[in-house]
Amino acid sequence: MTGDVRITVTRTLSKDQQARRERLLEAARELAHEGGYPAVTMHDVADRAGVARATVYRYFATKDHLLTEVAATWAHRVTDDIDALAIGDTPAERLTALLERIVEVAASELTLTSAIIQAVTSDDSSVDDARTVLFLFVRDRLSVAIGDPVPDLDDVEIVLGHILLAALVSLTALRRPTEEVTRMVRMSGRFVLAGALAVGPAPAGT
């Protein structure tokens, strides 16, 4: 998997269409950053991006779909320089450095983080494809941070992804202190990797 931005629009976009789509994403990000989830409406996104209101629906089926795509651009931005973020001599050190960095950025942009987490965890079916792409990207970033071979890496990535999501929900919906959430991801990352390395690969067919 590469670090290229992947989107859920099935047609090929022209240069102008891609630029228009990026303006919509940026407008939604700005509104979410300013006022959280309630501040993002398709009408206001269109007005801020300078496009017709119907244009938004050509790219994004619903508000939650739009904000989930905003979450994807946020994830790319936060983890863009993975080599600089995942610092350490061991897989656990590199992984926890990345997890702590994500929590730090999320806490510094709490209103935006709350909006995108609310969208990503929505039961809106239009979010499904974008959410899957986002989770696969996050798994890829976690795998890159770990670096060294780890038994049952797919399962480890999935568990770590759920831990990260729980951390972001704790920050936003539960309003837990940043220091507490940072400790949680640090300890959880260490425990998951230590457990995987201690147990070794699962027997074939299990």
Side-chain angles (χ1 to χ4, degrees), residues 40-120:
V40 182
T41 69
M42 300 298 253
H43 283 181
D44 288 343
V45 168
D47 290 347
R48 181 165 295 203
V51 303
R53 291 175 178 177
T55 300
V56 186
Y57 292 97
R58 297 177 186 171
Y59 298 88
F60 308 102
T62 64
K63 166 180 169 174
D64 286 339
H65 177 203
L66 171 57
L67 282 171
T68 299
E69 296 284 6
V70 171
T73 63
W74 181 88
H76 278 81
R77 174 173 60 85
V78 172
T79 63
D80 182 55
D81 193 354
I82 190 72
D83 291 333
L85 295 175
I87 302 170
D89 296 326
T90 68
E93 289 174 351
R94 293 190 294 269
L95 171 66
T96 55
L98 177 62
L99 292 172
E100 289 176 29
R101 173 59 178 166
I102 293 172
V103 169
E104 176 187 343
V105 175
S108 71
E109 303 174 336
L110 197 57
T111 304
L112 171 61
T113 305
S114 179
I116 60 179
I117 290 300
Q118 189 167 340
V120 167

Side-chain angles (χ1 to χ4, degrees), residues 21-202:
R21 181 181 183 279
E22 289 173 359
R23 290 205 311 274
L24 291 168
L25 287 170
E26 179 59 17
R29 187 201 66 79
E30 290 174 356
L31 288 166
H33 182 77
E34 293 166 7
Y37 185 85
V40 182
T41 69
M42 300 298 253
H43 283 181
D44 288 343
V45 168
D47 290 347
R48 181 165 295 203
V51 303
R53 291 175 178 177
T55 300
V56 186
Y57 292 97
R58 297 177 186 171
Y59 298 88
F60 308 102
T62 64
K63 166 180 169 174
D64 286 339
H65 177 203
L66 171 57
L67 282 171
T68 299
E69 296 284 6
V70 171
T73 63
W74 181 88
H76 278 81
R77 174 173 60 85
V78 172
T79 63
D80 182 55
D81 193 354
I82 190 72
D83 291 333
L85 295 175
I87 302 170
D89 296 326
T90 68
E93 289 174 351
R94 293 190 294 269
L95 171 66
T96 55
L98 177 62
L99 292 172
E100 289 176 29
R101 173 59 178 166
I102 293 172
V103 169
E104 176 187 343
V105 175
S108 71
E109 303 174 336
L110 197 57
T111 304
L112 171 61
T113 305
S114 179
I116 60 179
I117 290 300
Q118 189 167 340
V120 167
T121 57
S122 165
D123 62 0
D124 180 352
S125 62
S126 71
V127 170
D128 291 348
D129 288 344
R131 178 167 50 213
T132 297
V133 171
L134 172 60
F135 285 177
L136 287 172
F137 173 77
V138 171
R139 284 182 55 183
D140 177 69
R141 298 293 84 190
L142 294 169
S143 178
V144 171
I146 293 169
D148 296 350
V150 172
D152 299 317
L153 181 58
D154 283 349
D155 291 337
V156 169
E157 291 172 4
I158 291 170
V159 171
L160 291 171
H162 283 293
I163 289 169
L164 180 56
L165 178 59
L168 297 180
V169 170
S170 294
L171 277 175
T172 55
L174 303 182
R175 300 294 177 177
R176 301 307 303 164
T178 304
E179 296 78 9
E180 176 185 306
V181 177
T182 300
R183 288 196 304 272
M184 186 266 282
V185 296
R186 183 188 307 126
M187 296 302 295
S188 298
R190 290 174 179 169
F191 289 154
V192 169
L193 283 187
L197 291 169
V199 172

Side-chain angles (χ1 to χ4, degrees), residues 9-24:
V9 175
T10 56
R11 66 186 185 277
T12 300
L13 300 181
S14 68
K15 185 176 180 180
D16 287 345
Q17 289 171 328
Q18 181 63 30
R20 191 175 300 117
R21 181 181 183 279
E22 289 173 359
R23 290 205 311 274
L24 291 168

